[in-house]
Amino acid sequence: MNIAFFLLPKQEVVSVSEEATLRQTLERMERHRYTAVPVISEKGEYKATVTEGDLLWYLKANPDLSFDQLHRVPLGEVPLRLNNLPVRIDANMVDLISLAKTQNFVPVVDDMNHFIGIVRRSDIIDYTEKLLTAATHEKSLIREA
């Protein structure tokens, strides 16, 4: 089993550009109902993951900032609280699972750090559940025989 089995390709991933504004980021996250999205550079490199919490903490720290002004704030000005690490596509499953324990999704990059997609923790859990269910079913069939 390798990471590619779980990969949601970048074409299907909601992300924001490193050049996005705070307002664009908020609107994109709201439209897709996500609490975190990858931040991608102009060259297609994975840079970070921005969360709803990052945006809320920034707004709290800047109470004079109105919603109408958010289009003037570059996303780069927002401090990110978490350092969500990516995994390389050729990494082993142990590395992926280790990151997935603490991240809702794990960004996947190639050997040039270009973003190629994500692996969702929920997909790993669903796959594991299917394996466990199949193993349990097989055990019960053996006991019945």
Side-chain angles (χ1 to χ4, degrees), residues 1-144:
M1 173 83 40
N2 65 33
I3 291 171
F5 177 81
F6 295 103
L7 185 71
L8 182 65
K10 69 180 176 183
Q11 298 85 347
E12 298 177 34
V13 176
V14 174
S15 62
V16 292
S17 163
E18 187 177 35
E19 308 302 319
T21 65
L22 181 51
R23 183 169 181 163
Q24 289 169 324
T25 304
L26 276 168
E27 288 175 347
R28 185 161 199 124
M29 290 172 78
E30 177 187 30
R31 179 176 45 239
H32 295 281
R33 304 186 77 167
Y34 288 132
T35 58
V37 293
V39 179
I40 310 301
S41 78
E42 190 176 288
K43 295 178 182 177
E45 300 167 318
Y46 170 75
K47 289 300 192 179
T49 295
V50 62
T51 68
E52 224 173 34
D54 298 328
L55 304 179
L56 290 170
W57 286 112
Y58 182 83
L59 292 172
K60 182 180 183 221
N62 296 279
D64 296 336
L65 193 60
S66 73
F67 185 76
D68 292 334
Q69 298 168 319
L70 297 183
H71 71 283
R72 295 188 186 121
V73 179
L75 181 58
E77 286 185 18
V78 176
L80 305 180
R81 295 175 303 119
L82 301 175
N83 182 22
N84 284 4
L85 298 174
V87 67
R88 284 184 36 161
I89 190 66
D90 59 355
N92 63 49
M93 290 300 292
V94 172
D95 294 336
L96 173 67
I97 291 170
S98 176
L99 290 173
K101 288 189 309 188
T102 59
Q103 299 173 196
N104 283 335
F105 64 85
V106 178
V108 180
V109 297
D110 64 14
D111 59 350
M112 304 272 291
N113 197 42
H114 289 109
F115 178 73
I116 58 175
I118 64 170
V119 172
R120 296 178 290 212
R121 178 170 50 199
S122 61
D123 290 341
I124 296 169
I125 292 169
D126 288 345
Y127 177 77
T128 305
E129 178 187 35
K130 287 177 189 170
L131 287 178
L132 292 173
T133 301
T136 302
H137 180 68
E138 188 175 314
K139 255 187 189 175
S140 69
L141 290 175
I142 291 170
R143 271 191 241 133
E144 290 174 6

